[in-house]
Amino acid sequence: HVQLVESGGGSVQAGGSLKLACVVNGYNSTIKYIGWFRQAPGKEREGVAALYTTGRLTSYATSVRGRFTISKDNAKNTLYLQMNSLKPEDTAMYYCAADPDPTWSFVGWALEDEYNYWGQGTQVTVS
């Protein structure tokens, strides 16, 4: 049973940085698709960035490309999201999502319904 535990959220001023972490528990093999989503108040959840681990591919939402970086430390079984040049519109609850053995193409990385494991989220507030 896969468990995802996020941390690293907080409050920061515009232009600042935060680094989110998502620890993966309960899965001993390589998770193929793993990524970050976010949901702002009154808005739908949206894909932020994702990693196709075995294919060594990354994808980013247009709104964060060049500011955010997704990475994974396999030794620590932890996914990261380095967020720089934060803007007030980045304020949201950030969620880690994973599909260990997907049957769908990574082209659909931003489709939340494709992921079958989710963390509880960590709040990011930019003022």
Side-chain angles (χ1 to χ4, degrees), residues 26-73:
Y27 196 77
N28 294 325
S29 187
T30 301
I31 290 183
K32 290 184 179 176
Y33 294 173
I34 189 165
W36 292 95
F37 284 72
R38 67 185 181 187
Q39 187 168 22
K43 294 188 177 182
E44 294 186 353
R45 191 152 54 183
E46 63 174 354
V48 176
L51 180 64
Y52 176 9
T53 58
T54 55
R56 300 188 179 182
L57 296 175
T58 57
S59 286
Y60 295 91
T62 302
S63 59
V64 307
R65 191 173 292 124
R67 300 187 298 123
F68 290 10
T69 303
I70 189 171
S71 62
K72 191 171 185 287
D73 185 331

Side-chain angles (χ1 to χ4, degrees), residues 70-113:
I70 189 171
S71 62
K72 191 171 185 287
D73 185 331
N74 292 324
K76 296 182 178 180
N77 228 12
T78 301
L79 180 75
Y80 298 101
L81 185 68
Q82 177 67 48
M83 306 186 295
N84 299 329
S85 303
L86 283 162
K87 305 175 181 180
E89 51 263 44
D90 294 318
T91 295
M93 184 72 77
Y94 282 71
Y95 299 90
C96 181
D99 188 340
D101 193 19
T103 58
W104 47 280
S105 169
F106 189 63
V107 171
W109 70 270
L111 300 175
E112 62 173 305
D113 290 345

